[in-house]
Amino acid sequence: MTSDHLKHPGHPDHPGHPDHPGHPDHPGRRPGPPGGLHLPAGVTATGPYTTVVEPERAGWGFAGLRVLDLPPGGSHGFDAGGSEWIVLPLSGGCTVEILTVTPGGESFDETFELHGRDDVFSGVTDFAYVPRESWARITTPTGGRFALPGARCGRRLPARYGPASGVGVELRGGGTCSRQVNNFAAAGAFEADKLIAVEVLTPGGNWSSYPPHKHDEHLPGRESELEEIYYFEIAAAPRGTPGLGYQRVSPSGRGRGSDLLAEVRGGDTVLVPDGWHGPSIAAPGHDMYYLNVMAGPADERAWLISDHPDHAWVRATWPEQPADPRLPFHRAPEVPPAGAAPSAAGAATATATATAGAGTGGARPGPAGTGLPGAGAPSPSPSPSPSPSLEGDRP
């Protein structure tokens, strides 16, 4: 463990903290340690991306993440290369245009309008799936911030729209371990080849990603081998004080012996190549959001975990404790009746044109599920192609 991870107090709203003032528009920020698991906000910034984690940077083979900031009227194109991607609005809405050319020479040009959301704490968002070997452009009239979780993969699936009404919203844990999980691209909730991605929201003062767990070895039916990325956004206190939290990763005896205790701020990223990870601790008064991006080498796309034997007992206490009354932060919007106009949170249009033959794609709702509106994708059971370019002009 490195003590440097406990020193950085920064955030974009903390210009007086030279150790970690946050996003790339603060030139005084100090990069994190080379090869470290904790990447403070802005240290991987490249072009319009405030965060770039490619598999090569992480030292693994599959999972990746980019976070794109665009001004009002801004536009950015990228080549998917050998990876599948999801365009996930963190704030604001956008238009996603996807061009795919088949081996037979057919080209499919599809457009998805994403309503998005004000911020990660205000609602569930719709999203768009970008297949490998395609080209995409993101355009926003009002400006916004967009996450692009991705994974190296072998299959090319159709471009698709994910409505907010189809996102499974799950309440997990109990008492001070209560949290909310938005299963927008969980295994079994949305089809992908390798990519698994979910959002977790933790009320201030609570612990999530707990008990500590791991998924760093392939044990059929018991545990998946998955790389994982945590991307954080932390809510400010009512008086505007910027937020903070903490993330723990401890050695499991496999892989690199990953060991980290980091103070995390908005825009920070933590890499988990192996090891027990958790807890993720939200400081009192500061709600915590993190985006989990996972992928691994197995043919089966599954999220199976093993709990740390010293802490697994805590699960048995949750049925006796009520969920935190601050949850859920929000619910997935109701599916509009057949023939009705789309709701604001789930509005989307998809158009496809083909130079030869009919295109595929368009809006596809997620699973019905149970519980909260849109609920689905139950909790996990305890127990390389060339790097895509960062910039892309339409071919």
Side-chain angles (χ1 to χ4, degrees):
M1 186 190 312
T2 59
S3 60
D4 284 346
H5 294 302
L6 301 179
K7 294 179 181 178
H8 73 86
H11 183 274
D13 299 330
H14 265 275
H17 291 288
D19 282 355
H20 172 33
H23 288 84
D25 53 347
H26 291 269
R29 61 175 165 74
R30 185 181 68 184
L37 302 179
H38 177 215
L39 306 175
V43 301
T44 63
T46 303
Y49 295 106
T50 58
T51 296
V52 176
V53 177
E54 299 289 359
E56 291 79 9
R57 167 62 182 83
W60 55 42
F62 297 93
L65 174 68
R66 306 173 189 172
V67 178
L68 175 68
D69 273 1
L70 288 176
S75 182
H76 178 68
F78 68 95
D79 186 346
S83 296
E84 58 187 348
W85 302 89
I86 284 177
V87 179
L88 181 76
L90 300 175
S91 65
C94 65
T95 300
V96 181
E97 183 183 8
I98 304 171
L99 176 64
T100 305
V101 180
T102 71
E106 295 177 308
S107 67
F108 298 90
D109 195 354
E110 301 177 88
T111 301
F112 304 102
E113 301 291 339
L114 303 187
H115 180 270
R117 52 190 167 184
D118 291 338
D119 58 61
V120 296
F121 298 102
S122 65
V124 175
T125 186
D126 49 358
F127 58 95
Y129 176 85
V130 180
R132 63 167 286 158
E133 299 171 0
S134 64
W135 181 92
R137 179 173 293 280
I138 301 169
T139 304
T140 175
T142 59
R145 188 168 62 261
F146 308 96
L148 277 68
R152 299 275 170 79
C153 64
R155 292 190 299 149
R156 182 167 67 179
L157 302 176
R160 279 161 292 147
Y161 170 73
S165 59
V167 174
V169 176
E170 176 189 0
L171 298 188
R172 194 176 294 174
T176 56
C177 290
S178 300
R179 61 271 203 183
Q180 174 177 332
V181 183
N182 297 339
N183 290 300
F184 71 95
F190 185 84
E191 185 183 10
D193 186 28
K194 294 288 188 182
L195 177 63
I196 298 173
V198 301
E199 299 179 304
V200 180
L201 297 100
T202 308
N206 284 11
W207 287 21
S208 59
S209 197
Y210 195 77
H213 56 280
K214 74 181 186 77
H215 39 71
D216 58 10
E217 58 183 317
H218 178 63
L219 300 173
R222 294 170 49 201
E223 184 176 334
S224 307
E225 182 181 354
L226 295 169
E227 309 151 355
E228 185 164 14
I229 301 168
Y230 281 66
Y231 168 79
F232 293 89
E233 298 208 354
I234 314 290
R239 294 184 179 182
T241 305
L244 76 158
Y246 294 89
Q247 178 67 42
R248 181 75 170 110
V249 182
S250 56
S252 65
R254 295 186 57 80
R256 309 179 195 175
S258 299
D259 196 348
L260 173 75
L261 174 58
E263 180 184 298
V264 292
R265 301 274 180 160
D268 286 10
T269 304
V270 168
L271 308 179
V272 185
D274 51 66
W276 307 105
H277 42 289
S280 303
I281 303 172
H286 298 287
D287 298 331
M288 171 185 281
Y289 164 95
Y290 50 88
L291 170 63
N292 286 146
V293 183
M294 291 167 279
D299 292 334
E300 180 186 14
R301 179 171 169 257
W303 186 26
L304 301 175
I305 66 172
S306 296
D307 283 337
H308 194 297
D310 292 346
H311 306 286
W313 61 268
V314 74
R315 285 189 188 272
T317 70
W318 291 343
E320 305 167 3
Q321 304 176 62
D324 191 305
R326 293 172 289 179
L327 294 174
F329 284 90
H330 46 253
R331 304 171 187 267
E334 298 287 351
V335 179
S343 64
T349 61
T351 60
T353 58
T355 56
T360 59
R364 297 188 183 184
T370 58
L372 295 173
S379 305
S381 301
S383 137
S385 56
S387 177
S389 60
L390 294 181
E391 302 287 345
D393 292 327
R394 177 170 175 148

